[in-house]
Amino acid sequence: MRKVLPLLVLLLAACRSNNDLNTRPSFVKGGLLTTTYFGNTDDLLTGGLGKSGLAFPSPAPGFTNPASPTAAELRRLAIYQNYRALVDTTTTGGYGVLYGPNIDTQGGNTLGEGKIAGEETIAYDDEGTGQVNATMMVQIPASFDVNNPCVVTGTSSGSRGVYGAIATAGEWGLKHRCAVAYTDKGSGMGVHDLAGNTVNLMDGTRTDAATAGAGSNFTANLSDADRTSFNTAFPNRFAVKHAHSQQNPEKDWGRYTLHAVEFAFYVLNEKFGEVTSSGTTRTIHPGRTIVIAASVSNGAGAALAAAEQDTQGLISGVVAGEPQVQVASTATIQRGGVTVAISGKSLFDYTTYANLYQACATQSSTYSGQAAAGFGPIFDGNVAAARCASLKAKGLLSASTTTAQGDEALAKLNQYGWEPQSNFLHLSHFSSYATPAVALTYANAYARASVKDRLCGYSFAMVDSGFAPQAVSASAGNQSSLAQIFANGNGIPPMSTIQIINDNSQGGPLRDQNSLNAARVLDYNTDGVVCLRNLATGTDLSGAPLTGATLDQSNAVKAGIQQVLRTAKLRGVPTILVQGRADTLVPVNHASRAYFGANKTADGSASPTVYYEVENAQHFDAFLPFPSLAIRYVPLHPYVIQALDLMYAKLRTGAALPPSQLIRTTPRSSAAAQISTTNVPPIPASPAAADLITFANGTVSVP
C-alpha cells in the first residue's frame, strides 16, 4: 500500500493538471500569426493612424505598390475603412467629442491619438475541409488586467472582414483593458476572381487558388472544367464568399462567435498561463472571467445566437446594437396602444419587399427635393419613376401619377413594418444600393447557390465605361482594386469596383443600375427584383405557386431561412438590445421588438433582457454627415457605448440595468452644428412612465 497510494496521488494530480492544460481548440486550423504592436507607428485600434488619421476628411492610407500591397498595408487600410464605415467620423457628428480613440472610459478627452499597444493573433476556424475558414482574431491590449480579466466579442457587422467591429465592440473592449475576440463569422472578405483564378489569403493578400489550397479565405466550389465553362459563357465574373460559399454561414454565426471566445481563452493562457513540465496551464478561466458578447448589426445577431447556443457558460452578458436577428415566433407588438400590422418577418422577406418598393418610394411627396438628400449624383429620379411605372404595369401599384405611386409605395413599406421615422431614409438605402445588395447576397446564401447558378440572372463583375463586364486585366486600376479588395470591400457587392450585373439586360449584361428591361427601359431591373421577391413568397405575381427550377430555388431559400431563425431563449443571461426606431435596413418591428417579445415569451416576463429604443436613430451612422439626414437623425453609437458600460457595471459590481424604454433625442439643427448630450442624452436610470417599454399578456408595448 505504501507504493500504491503515492502512485494514485500522482495519477490524480496529473489528471487535474491535464484537465487544466491550455489545449489548442480542434477548430483552429493552420498556423497562428501573432504580431506585437507598440502603439506608435502601429497599434491595435487605429493601425497607427491615430484619432486624427481616422477622422473625416483624412485621406485613406496608401501603398508603396498599389497592385501588390503588403499584408501590413492592407491591415492599416482595412482598419481605416471599417472604422469609418461604422461611425460618423466628423467632429460635429460626435467623433473626438462623444466617442473616438481619444475619449477615455469616463467620456473625457484624455487619450490623445488613442493608439493602443498590444498583441494581435489571427487564425482560421474550420472543420478541416478548408471550406469554412472563418477568420478569428484576438487582440490583447498591453493594459490587459490579468487579475480582473474580461473578454469582449467583436463579430463583424454586415458581411465585413475580421476588422468589421473594430469601431464598436473592439474600441470599447480595448479601452476597458479587455481582450477582444473577433470573427468574420464565415462571411468575410473572400473574393475569387474566376477568370484569373486568384483568391484572398487570411492576411488579405492574393495568390493563385491552387497555390493557396486550404489557406484560401474562399475558393468557389467549382471543378476546373466547370470554371472554364462558366468563364466561357460569363467571362470576367467573381464569386464572393458570403453569397457563394454554399455554407449558409448565418446558421453558424453563433458557433463562430463562441469559437472566437474559446480561441481568446487559449491565446490569453498561452500568454499568461503558468509553464510547467507538462505544458502551459490555464490561469484565466471561463466562469471567472467577464465575457460580453457584443457587436452591432449582423455581429449583434451573432452575439445573441452565441448566447442561445452557449452550453459551456462562456458568456456573462450580451449587448446587441441594431441586431439583425430573426426569430421563429414573436409576440404581439403595440406602439402607442395600436397593434403593429406586420412584425417578426425574416430578413429575406422584408428585404425583398423593400427591394421591390423602395426605389419608387423615393418619388413620394416625402422627397420633394431629391438633391437635398445628398444622394443626387448617384441616384436617377427618372429611373426610379420608371420603376414606379413598371410596378403599376405589373399590378403591384394602382395610382396613376408618379408622386401618387411613390406615396403608395411608401405606405406599403409602412404597413409592412417600417416606422414612419424611416420614411426619409429609403432614398439613402436604395441609392447606396444597400437594399438590393442584401437581397441578392442572402438569396444566394440561403439557397446555398453556386456562383454558376446566377440566381435571377445576377452575377458580379467589374465594368467598363459602358457598364458592361470588364476583365481585371483591362486596366491597372482594376488590378489594384482587386489587390486591395480585402481592405476596401465590405463583402457584399457592389463594393469597391465589383458591381452587381444583370445578365438578362436587353442587348447583353450590364451593371444592374444601368440595365435595360425587355422594352429597353431603365427601371432598376424590376424583373430581377420581382424574381427575388418570388423566391421569398414561393409564388409569382398572380399568386400562383412557382414551378420547376424556380420552385426548387425558392424551397432552398426557405430551408436556409429556417436554419437561421433564433429561439430567443437566453436562459437568464443579462442582455441589452439597443436599436434606433428609424432603422431602415433592419426595421425594429422585425428585429429588436420581435426578439424582445420572443425572449419574454420563451424565458418569462421576468427575464433580465432589456430593450432601449432610440428615437431618431437609424442603422448607418456613417450616413449622418449628409446635411438632410443630420437634421433628422442622431447617432446610435453613443448608446451602444452606454449599453456596454451598463452591462460591464452590472457584471463587475452588480449594478442594476435601467428598465426597457424609449430614449428621447433631439436632432441637430444642421450638419455644421456640434452634437452634444443635449441631442443624445444619457440612458435614464429611472425613465418617465410614459417612456417605458413593457411586456405583459403576450404583448410588447412601446411608447
Side-chain angles (χ1 to χ4, degrees):
M1 290 297 293
R2 283 194 297 270
K3 293 182 179 179
V4 174
L5 283 174
L7 179 59
L8 180 60
V9 170
L10 287 172
L11 288 172
L12 290 173
C15 182
R16 288 194 296 270
S17 177
N18 287 336
N19 285 341
D20 211 33
L21 285 177
N22 191 40
T23 305
R24 172 171 159 155
S26 61
F27 54 79
V28 179
K29 301 300 181 184
L32 277 62
L33 175 63
T34 298
T35 307
T36 300
Y37 298 100
F38 296 100
N40 37 50
T41 58
D42 213 339
D43 74 301
L44 298 180
L45 177 60
T46 76
L49 299 170
K51 173 254 182 185
S52 300
L54 295 175
F56 176 86
S58 298
F63 302 91
T64 301
N65 180 356
S68 183
T70 67
E73 290 173 332
L74 288 168
R75 175 185 181 271
R76 180 173 290 111
L77 182 58
I79 290 173
Y80 173 90
Q81 297 288 25
N82 282 280
Y83 193 104
R84 290 162 60 100
L86 271 291
V87 300
D88 180 353
T89 56
T90 64
T91 300
T92 54
Y95 180 76
V97 179
L98 300 177
Y99 56 86
N102 59 307
I103 303 299
D104 63 30
T105 59
Q106 303 303 310
N109 182 2
T110 67
L111 301 180
E113 286 298 301
K115 298 178 184 179
I116 296 178
E119 290 183 359
E120 181 175 286
T121 301
I122 302 181
Y124 274 145
D125 174 357
D126 190 76
E127 82 285 63
T129 65
Q131 295 298 306
V132 174
N133 277 359
T135 302
M136 300 178 294
M137 178 174 73
V138 179
Q139 290 185 328
I140 305 174
S143 62
F144 182 82
D145 187 352
V146 179
N147 296 316
N148 293 285
C150 57
V151 175
V152 177
T153 69
T155 307
S156 64
S157 64
S159 306
R160 295 184 174 277
V162 75
Y163 293 97
I166 199 159
T168 52
E171 180 171 305
W172 187 93
L174 293 172
K175 288 180 179 177
H176 284 76
R177 307 173 69 183
C178 302
V180 184
Y182 300 87
T183 175
D184 70 4
K185 65 190 188 310
S187 53
M189 281 308 306
V191 176
H192 185 180
D193 171 18
L194 298 175
N197 201 29
T198 63
V199 296
N200 289 103
L201 299 176
M202 185 171 65
D203 63 6
T205 58
R206 294 187 66 82
T207 192
D208 180 80
T211 302
S216 168
N217 185 290
F218 162 67
T219 301
N221 186 22
L222 298 173
S223 67
D224 288 341
D226 283 344
R227 188 171 61 83
T228 298
S229 176
F230 184 80
N231 284 337
T232 299
F234 302 97
N236 307 317
R237 300 305 203 269
F238 295 92
V240 176
K241 187 170 187 176
H242 192 170
H244 299 131
S245 70
Q246 300 181 267
Q247 301 290 314
N248 189 12
E250 187 177 351
K251 69 180 173 56
D252 294 315
W253 285 355
R255 181 160 65 96
Y256 299 144
T257 300
L258 290 171
H259 281 182
V261 174
E262 291 182 66
F263 182 53
F265 276 109
Y266 171 72
V267 173
L268 284 168
N269 282 298
E270 284 296 287
K271 181 176 178 63
F272 297 112
E274 181 181 352
V275 179
T276 70
S277 59
S278 300
T280 302
T281 60
R282 296 185 299 168
T283 57
I284 299 172
H285 299 80
R288 289 179 250 165
T289 301
I290 288 177
V291 177
I292 302 176
S295 191
V296 300
S297 194
N298 284 354
L304 292 168
E308 290 183 17
Q309 299 165 16
D310 181 17
T311 59
Q312 301 181 66
L314 296 172
I315 295 173
S316 314
V318 179
V319 174
E322 56 189 18
Q324 189 283 92
V325 63
Q326 307 173 70
V327 290
S329 62
T330 186
T332 299
I333 298 171
Q334 290 188 342
R335 178 170 60 80
V338 178
T339 299
V340 173
I342 296 176
S343 63
K345 292 289 187 180
S346 71
L347 170 74
F348 191 67
D349 186 333
Y350 66 73
T351 300
T352 54
Y353 195 87
N355 199 27
L356 197 62
Y357 290 107
Q358 205 169 53
C360 182
T362 67
Q363 301 304 293
S364 74
S365 54
T366 297
Y367 296 95
S368 57
Q370 293 174 358
F375 292 89
I378 56 173
F379 179 77
D380 191 329
N382 292 325
V383 183
R387 165 65 68 83
C388 292
S390 293
L391 294 177
K392 170 77 180 295
K394 292 179 182 296
L396 296 173
L397 293 175
S398 59
S400 298
T401 69
T402 296
T403 300
Q405 289 165 353
D407 288 340
E408 185 181 357
L410 187 58
K412 285 179 176 289
L413 291 169
N414 289 148
Q415 181 70 12
Y416 214 73
W418 276 265
E419 284 289 316
Q421 280 191 9
S422 300
N423 285 356
F424 201 78
L425 287 159
H426 292 293
L427 175 59
S428 63
H429 284 55
F430 188 83
S431 64
S432 63
Y433 241 55
T435 303
V438 170
L440 177 57
T441 290
Y442 282 85
N444 281 276
Y446 292 145
R448 296 181 185 247
S450 166
V451 63
K452 67 182 180 181
D453 292 330
R454 299 183 308 105
L455 290 188
C456 294
Y458 290 102
S459 62
F460 301 139
M462 294 179 177
V463 298
D464 60 21
S465 59
F467 306 110
Q470 182 184 55
V472 174
S473 59
S475 73
N478 283 358
Q479 295 165 34
S480 295
S481 175
L482 182 58
Q484 299 167 21
I485 197 69
F486 171 84
N488 286 321
N490 62 7
I492 182 167
M495 58 178 179
S496 186
T497 57
I498 297 177
Q499 303 293 327
I500 297 174
I501 303 298
N502 176 11
D503 290 333
N504 295 333
S505 179
Q506 288 298 303
L510 290 174
R511 187 177 77 152
D512 196 48
Q513 296 97 311
N514 305 93
S515 62
L516 304 172
N517 64 17
R520 301 189 71 82
V521 172
L522 278 75
D523 64 353
Y524 289 125
N525 190 9
T526 303
D527 290 336
V529 168
V530 168
C531 176
L532 291 174
R533 181 62 185 160
N534 291 348
L535 295 183
T537 63
T539 63
D540 63 20
L541 293 183
S542 72
L546 301 176
T547 60
T550 309
L551 175 61
D552 292 340
Q553 291 168 352
S554 177
N555 287 339
V557 167
K558 290 180 177 180
I561 292 171
Q562 288 299 310
Q563 291 182 314
V564 306
L565 300 181
R566 309 306 179 194
T567 67
K569 294 178 181 178
L570 296 171
R571 302 179 306 281
V573 175
T575 299
I576 298 175
L577 309 172
V578 57
Q579 188 166 9
R581 172 168 283 190
D583 199 319
T584 308
L585 188 73
V586 183
V588 287
N589 286 313
H590 303 306
S592 288
R593 290 179 182 176
Y595 193 89
F596 180 73
N599 171 257
K600 296 298 183 180
T601 301
D603 287 353
S605 58
S607 83
T609 297
V610 295
Y611 171 40
Y612 306 137
E613 185 167 296
V614 183
E615 193 178 34
N616 305 311
Q618 49 89 50
H619 202 85
F620 294 116
D621 279 9
F623 284 178
L624 296 181
F626 287 101
S628 64
L629 302 188
I631 62 173
R632 290 175 169 86
Y633 303 104
V634 301
L636 184 68
H637 184 56
Y639 292 104
V640 174
I641 295 171
Q642 289 181 55
L644 282 160
D645 289 340
L646 290 167
M647 181 58 69
Y648 187 70
K650 176 176 180 58
L651 298 175
R652 185 68 76 191
T653 68
L657 296 175
S660 300
Q661 59 186 282
L662 176 66
I663 300 167
R664 307 288 183 177
T665 66
T666 305
R668 292 174 287 161
S669 59
S670 72
Q674 180 60 57
I675 199 168
S676 71
T677 53
T678 300
N679 306 103
V680 284
I683 298 171
S686 301
D691 292 338
L692 290 173
I693 295 174
T694 61
F695 177 85
N697 301 318
T699 299
V700 176
S701 297
V702 182

